[in-house]
Amino acid sequence: MKPVRVRGEGRFALFLLLPAATVVFGVVLYPVLRTLLMSFYKVDSAMPGSYPFAGLSNYAKVFSDPSFYPVLGHTAYFTVVSTAAELVLGMGVALLLNAPLRFKWLWRSLVVLPWALPTIVNGALWRWIDNGQYGVLNQLLGTEIQWLGSPFLALNMVIVADVWKNTSIVAFFLLAGLQTIPNELREAAVVDGASTWRTFWQVVVPLLKPSIAVVLVLRTIEAFKVFDIVYVMTGGGPASGTQTVAFYTYLQAFSNQLFGYGAALAYLIVIAVGALAMFYLRVLRQNQMAGV
Amino acid sequence: MVAIDRRTVLRTAGGAGLAALLAACSGGKGATTGDQGSGSSGEIRALFMKQAAYTEADVTKMTASFTAANPGIKVTPEFVAYEALHDKIVAAGPAGTYDVVLIDVIWPAEFGSKKMITDVSGQWPAEWKTEMLAGAIDTAEYDDKLYGVPWIMDTKYLFLNTQHLDVANANPQWLDTWEGTLKSARRLKQSGVVKYPFIWSWQQAEALVCDYAQLLGAMGGKFLDDSGKVAFNAGGGVQALEWMRQTIVDGLTNPASTQSLEADVQRVFQAGQASIVLNWTYMYGAANDAKQCKVVGKVQVAQTPKGSVGRPGVNGGMALCVTAGSKNQAAAFKYISHLTSQPEQEKYALSSLPVWATSYDEDAVIKTNPAVVPQAKKQLDDLILRPQAKSYNAFSQVLQAELQNALLGRKLAQKALDDAADKANSLLQS
């Protein structure tokens, strides 16, 4: 009978979804909810136990913590500069890869290599390159600069390392977008007398906006929660000049065992990232509705 | 082809799930099940650090001799970098992943007060307290309780490149005081034998606090006063930081120091690019290994130089502890007792000096490291302890950041230490 079969198949489908649902609940939902709960308690140990209810005081502490604002500043700077640099360089690489080149497969393979490297390895690599005593960068330039020796320069060198790795993925997203743009449109612009520059700005970029928006959302979110490359390259120094919000959260939670405070910081990262994502998506939707 | 219907899949999966559930309920943790009472069987997972003191090979041999004597106990050692050790202990604490962990002298207050490690005071034989060096006992003690057994006894010594000193005509006796050390460094720089006579582990990390502690102690400073309030921002504490900064300004300290850890110091010294450095015991062994060192036979080790009030070395001891989450406490303590025993420690004195006072008079120990042991015997009697505070890590982070602000010339030493003191006092009260 048909209704029985539908019910049976539905149950079977639910059963097949169960492992995935269990993993999602266990690995994503449970920690997310547990962290939220923890942020309302004064949890000052990794060990299970009963801890006093703290209400919103962990959140209030974030805003009264004088160390938090410099850390937020570093994170904002890192996010804006690295995302912008990756977008500009990624666009250049995507345009090159989209051009009629010989051995296209080789160039594409080479470009993807930095992205394929684990971030920890990338961080260690750049830590050696930037070493003021025996790093290859000073050897190449014939200088004696301590690249990781002053806070602002070190933050910029971490950005360089991040850009080197992530420009590839940005380039590939944009390349995918470029390949959906019909050549006829560009050819028509050329026939109408548009220069290469004008064709790029008035034909390619508008049609590439959805891809750019996706890249911006992904890279902004990733850059805002940067942790591993900082941990490996500088350990947050010198003089705390490369500490980011995620790194500071880690310090508070795991080094200082202030898990309640760390949870509140983690939730503020989630809120900030969510707000950024919504902003980008809203801009994208408005552009689409306006037919841009 | 065998047809598999929906019902078969559901039945098979349901059966497998039930079996897994029953298996999970019947056991407990596989890795740590065992005989808790006698400690004669079971499995132990132990967490060590990898870059200093006993090497991985040493620990593997020590473990092999333990399991040979205790065939019922299986031990799985794991090694992490010192910088990751604390956080790994914290992250693994609730799950009871490790039965034995190595802790630094600055952590007993934190781990003990949070009940992450077991109070083993009752298992300490009375004679251990008199037979071990006093500084060693500090590595496991908090609030009159013993949370482990001391295993690594270390402090920072002065390592010299004697060839550089000869070429520069710098009298090695000058290096008996910090003032004379500065004079030697100036002579070395003027002679052109080396561009930067000093390199230090002044990266924003605990290593920086260790170097600072040694200078602070020599110049009469204190981390805390008798009432437990911060005192490093007065007298010797400020002088020590001013001394450190001045060596950078004068071009005597390699500017890479503010990004260097002990391993970087070792690398530069071994390449012959520094003449005078502070480092832990293990560097002497490494500095005489021709495979990794260009200055073999030209290295001398000495006690840390004297300041206005003495020459205390920073207490860099570490202890082995049984975790509170261990399901095999008796076997874990047995393992710790073996590793920390005097005969076992004496076998590996080249890597790390024993915690036992009489070991320093044993010919066998002196022979393993004849250059270091006589210096250690004098130095280990005079150690400076970093604050034994529950929130030491946060205290240290504040101090590290402000020390670096002064070293990089972003703040004057007094201002940097006053700022650190403001933050650190509130941390110590919380």
Side-chain angles (χ1 to χ4, degrees), chain A residues 9 12 15 44-47 127-128 133-134 144 146 148-149 151 237-240 250 254-257 259, chain B residues 6 10 13 86-87 94 110 114 116 195 203-204 254 256 259 264 267 273 393 397 401 404-405 408 410:
Chain A
E9 281 179 359
F12 185 58
F15 170 75
D44 62 356
S45 168
M47 302 304 275
R127 187 184 156 95
W128 281 93
Q133 179 74 17
Y134 36 77
E144 285 188 30
Q146 300 299 322
L148 302 176
S240 303
Y250 170 82
F254 290 94
S255 295
N256 303 344
Q257 295 208 49
F259 284 93
Chain B
R6 197 175 63 225
L10 283 168
H86 172 277
D87 300 351
E110 178 192 347
K114 294 182 193 304
M116 300 180 79
K195 187 167 184 185
Q203 186 176 322
Q204 188 174 345
N254 189 322
Q259 307 128 64
D264 303 300
R267 213 170 284 128
Q273 293 169 345
N393 273 4
Q397 285 155 20
Q404 283 224 320
N405 274 328
L408 295 170
R410 288 154 56 94

Side-chain angles (χ1 to χ4, degrees), chain A residues 47-249:
Chain A
M47 302 304 275
S50 63
Y51 296 96
F53 184 68
L56 292 172
S57 65
N58 283 325
Y59 290 91
K61 188 180 162 188
V62 173
F63 296 104
S64 62
D65 179 354
S67 304
F68 177 70
Y69 293 99
V71 161
L72 189 64
H74 305 152
T75 311
Y77 180 80
F78 181 93
T79 305
V80 171
V81 177
S82 68
T83 307
E86 284 159 18
L87 186 64
V88 171
L89 292 172
M91 179 70 85
V93 173
L95 289 169
L96 276 175
L97 291 178
N98 198 42
L101 295 171
R102 289 181 73 189
F103 308 115
K104 213 178 249 187
W105 59 272
L106 177 67
W107 309 128
R108 287 182 183 180
S109 307
L110 285 176
V111 167
V112 86
L113 271 180
W115 183 69
L117 217 58
T119 309
I120 295 289
V121 177
N122 183 42
L125 189 81
W126 278 94
R127 187 184 156 95
W128 281 93
I129 291 171
D130 294 341
N131 187 291
Q133 179 74 17
Y134 36 77
V136 74
L137 190 55
N138 272 340
Q139 296 286 325
L140 279 174
L141 300 175
T143 53
E144 285 188 30
I145 298 168
Q146 300 299 322
W147 297 101
L148 302 176
S150 66
F152 186 61
L153 183 57
L155 184 59
N156 283 297
M157 295 317 288
V158 176
I159 290 173
V160 168
D162 188 74
V163 169
W164 183 78
K165 177 175 162 57
N166 290 311
T167 294
S168 316
I169 189 68
V170 171
F172 274 87
F173 267 107
L174 298 179
L175 178 63
L178 281 173
Q179 290 181 338
T180 63
I181 300 173
N183 261 339
E184 291 80 3
L185 290 176
R186 272 179 277 207
E187 285 163 6
V190 173
V191 169
D192 287 346
S195 64
T196 310
W197 187 243
R198 198 163 172 201
T199 308
F200 172 72
W201 276 111
Q202 298 198 334
V203 177
V204 176
V205 170
L207 290 169
L208 211 52
K209 270 190 178 170
S211 302
I212 292 172
V214 169
V215 161
L216 279 177
V217 170
L218 289 178
R219 286 309 311 148
T220 307
I221 291 171
E222 284 298 312
F224 195 86
K225 56 194 180 70
V226 62
F227 167 77
D228 37 14
I229 200 159
V230 173
Y231 183 85
V232 177
M233 277 186 76
T234 62
S240 303
T242 57
Q243 282 187 4
T244 59
V245 175
F247 188 89
Y248 189 66
T249 303

Side-chain angles (χ1 to χ4, degrees), chain B residues 340-401:
Chain B
T340 56
S341 67
Q342 191 164 2
E344 203 61 21
Q345 288 207 321
E346 287 179 354
K347 276 190 231 167
Y348 302 96
L350 183 62
S351 300
S352 181
L353 292 173
V355 299
W356 305 93
T358 56
S359 295
Y360 293 80
D361 297 319
E362 296 280 344
D363 285 343
V365 173
I366 297 168
K367 252 187 233 167
T368 60
N369 211 336
V372 177
V373 175
Q375 302 297 336
K377 195 177 170 184
K378 292 180 272 180
Q379 188 67 69
L380 296 176
D381 263 349
D382 184 12
L383 297 176
I384 179 167
L385 197 59
R386 286 160 284 165
Q388 297 288 289
K390 285 185 270 188
S391 52
Y392 177 78
N393 273 4
F395 171 95
S396 177
Q397 285 155 20
V398 161
L399 183 57
Q400 289 164 30

Side-chain angles (χ1 to χ4, degrees), chain B residues 107-121:
Chain B
W107 301 333
E110 178 192 347
F111 291 148
S113 66
K114 294 182 193 304
K115 302 196 186 320
M116 300 180 79
I117 48 178
T118 305
D119 174 5
V120 293
S121 309

